[in-house]
Amino acid sequence: MRKAAKAVDLDDFDLRILDILQRDNATPQREIGEAVNLSAPAVQRRIKRLEESGVISANVAVVEPDRVGRPITIIVEISVESEQIDLLDATKATFAAAPEVQQCYYVTGEADFVLVVTVASMAEYEALTRRLFFADPNIKKFRTLVAMDRVKAGLTVPLA
């Protein structure tokens, strides 16, 4: 089970660097340095510290799903039969291992989990429901919301 991480002390330079990297992680360190008034080596040291402390958890490319043949985004609310720890952990592991699941949240309220899924077709989604939901006896029910338009998608964190 994931525990809440301790917040890292960040100064204004760190926040400005993070803001730039969240918009474009390929920005050269020299340009970042010019923008925040630090040398490129100082920027490099700060980025390394931000990575080592877990503030920066990944360096990835953001891919447009429809450009790679996965035009359907589905939000799924899932309710479980039992919130017994070992059953919840197994469900979390199953969802985390499914490549179609872009995001998975264990939540409070009427649902127990909310997933964001991307698929190429509704047939693929049906197969996914059989594999992830119908095959798991701890899944009580699920509700599917098909996104008609992706108005905003991102993982940027407000820093100010």
Side-chain angles (χ1 to χ4, degrees):
M1 184 160 102
R2 193 175 118 169
K3 298 188 184 215
K6 181 182 172 195
V8 176
D9 289 327
L10 304 172
D11 63 18
D12 188 53
F13 289 115
D14 295 327
L15 295 174
R16 291 168 57 203
I17 290 168
L18 287 169
D19 184 55
I20 292 167
L21 292 175
Q22 284 191 109
R23 284 184 274 121
D24 183 359
N25 196 32
T27 304
Q29 292 175 357
R30 176 189 46 74
E31 285 183 33
I32 296 171
E34 290 171 3
V36 302
N37 204 23
L38 286 174
S39 68
V43 169
Q44 181 180 28
R45 284 190 300 274
R46 285 175 176 269
I47 291 172
K48 183 174 182 186
R49 182 178 52 82
L50 292 167
E51 290 171 342
E52 289 172 350
S53 66
V55 172
I56 297 174
S57 60
N59 291 298
V60 298
V62 178
V63 176
E64 291 293 328
D66 58 329
R67 299 286 177 117
V68 294
R70 304 189 74 72
I72 302 171
T73 299
I74 298 174
I75 296 90
V76 188
E77 296 176 344
I78 298 148
S79 298
V80 297
E81 290 286 349
S82 170
E83 291 193 64
Q84 188 177 317
I85 295 298
D86 59 329
L87 296 174
L88 280 178
D89 287 346
T91 300
K92 288 178 184 180
T94 299
F95 294 159
E100 302 89 347
V101 176
Q102 289 185 304
Q103 297 177 48
C104 173
Y105 300 96
Y106 177 48
V107 299
T108 62
E110 291 185 34
D112 296 303
F113 289 92
V114 174
L115 307 180
V116 177
V117 174
T118 183
V119 292
S121 66
M122 289 308 290
E124 182 182 342
Y125 180 63
E126 181 188 4
L128 180 76
T129 64
R130 290 173 185 268
R131 191 174 85 238
L132 294 185
F133 312 142
F134 291 118
D136 184 341
N138 196 38
I139 303 291
K140 180 176 16 179
K141 66 179 181 176
F142 66 95
R143 186 174 92 146
T144 299
L145 304 162
V146 178
M148 293 174 30
D149 186 17
R150 185 166 59 135
V151 177
K152 179 179 180 182
L155 295 174
T156 57
V157 176
L159 298 171

